[in-house]
Amino acid sequence: MRRSARSELAMSLALPLALAAAVTIVMVGMASAKSTAKSPSLKVAKNAVVSEAGGATVRENIVVSAKGLAVYTLSGDSQQDPKCTKANGCFSAWHPVTTTARKPAVGSGVSGKVAVWHRDGFEQLTLNGHPLYTFIGDKHADSASGDGLMSFGGTWHVVKVAGAVHVVSTTTTTTTPTTSTYTYPTTQTTTTTTTTTPMTSTSTTGTYTYPSDPTSPTTTATTTTTTTATTTTPYYPPY
């Protein structure tokens, strides 16, 4: 009788404990489900810093992943004809945006049809039929540094949301050709001719002219003076 009473007492105590544990598990599961439902796979980052390929930095509203990373599409890339694949090395720099939800949640402001692409062992999100990716070069949330880059047969575009664009900075690069200066020498020659004429003597009685010595012909001396002038002329090397 004592053993039976003890067994009944133990069972009466174990039953409430089991029920309490079951209720706790259900509540945790529901809370987890609610948390997952409230965490969108895609959302909008307002005033995100976008660095464009031309050098300008602007602030725009863009679409980001659940982790806050900017989301991109590749021009010409599609489910029927994918340009970014693991085989060509694209996945090493451009990571597919994946999900485990059958119907991914989308944050306010994200427009277009969001779907799931069952691709090579994982589920990738698409927006209006375009596969979505994140860029390895984006080190911070709510920023994009891959907009306008060209690779893997197309151009990468960050997914933007309609809104005001604020220019943060622009970079202008000016290239000035290098001019080389070369001095060309100029030679000027001056010729001076000296002629020796017969001597003439004048006296009180008349004028006598000394005859020229036939053996001493008139001597002509030529002096050549060379003057070098330096002129500086620009020299433009061939390109």
Side-chain angles (χ1 to χ4, degrees):
M1 294 294 294
R2 292 181 179 179
R3 292 181 179 178
S4 178
R6 290 179 179 177
S7 298
E8 291 178 358
L9 179 60
M11 291 180 62
S12 63
L13 293 175
L15 184 59
L17 292 176
L19 290 173
V23 171
T24 301
I25 293 174
V26 171
M27 293 179 66
V28 170
M30 292 177 63
S32 178
K34 291 181 179 180
S35 176
T36 302
K38 292 181 180 180
S39 178
S41 300
L42 298 176
K43 55 186 178 179
V44 174
K46 295 183 178 181
N47 294 324
V49 179
V50 179
S51 301
E52 299 178 343
T57 300
V58 299
R59 285 191 173 274
E60 295 185 85
N61 300 335
I62 64 174
V63 177
V64 297
S65 66
K67 296 181 179 180
L69 296 177
V71 170
Y72 299 82
T73 60
L74 176 63
S75 60
D77 185 41
S78 65
Q79 300 180 43
Q80 295 74 24
D81 184 21
K83 290 186 176 182
C84 184
T85 64
K86 182 178 180 180
N88 63 11
C90 182
F91 286 0
S92 62
W94 301 91
H95 304 156
V97 180
T98 60
T99 182
T100 57
R102 294 183 179 179
K103 294 182 179 180
V106 177
S108 176
V110 179
S111 60
K113 182 180 179 181
V114 178
V116 178
W117 178 19
H118 305 282
R119 179 182 186 182
D120 300 332
F122 60 90
E123 316 296 327
Q124 183 175 2
L125 290 179
T126 63
L127 181 61
N128 294 329
H130 299 287
L132 301 179
Y133 305 85
T134 57
F135 181 42
I136 193 174
D138 295 338
K139 302 301 182 181
H140 305 285
D142 300 344
S143 64
S145 60
D147 189 39
L149 295 181
M150 301 177 65
S151 63
F152 299 101
T155 303
W156 294 93
H157 300 283
V158 65
V159 180
K160 301 177 182 180
V161 179
V165 178
H166 304 283
V167 178
V168 178
S169 64
T170 56
T171 302
T172 303
T173 302
T174 303
T175 303
T176 303
T178 302
T179 302
S180 175
T181 302
Y182 178 77
T183 302
Y184 293 92
T186 301
T187 302
Q188 180 180 356
T189 303
T190 303
T191 303
T192 303
T193 303
T194 304
T195 303
T196 303
T197 57
M199 297 178 59
T200 301
S201 176
T202 304
S203 65
T204 56
T205 58
T207 301
Y208 179 78
T209 301
Y210 293 93
S212 299
D213 187 352
T215 61
S216 301
T218 301
T219 303
T220 301
T222 302
T223 303
T224 301
T225 303
T226 300
T227 304
T228 300
T230 301
T231 304
T232 301
T233 305
Y235 171 72
Y236 299 94
Y239 290 94

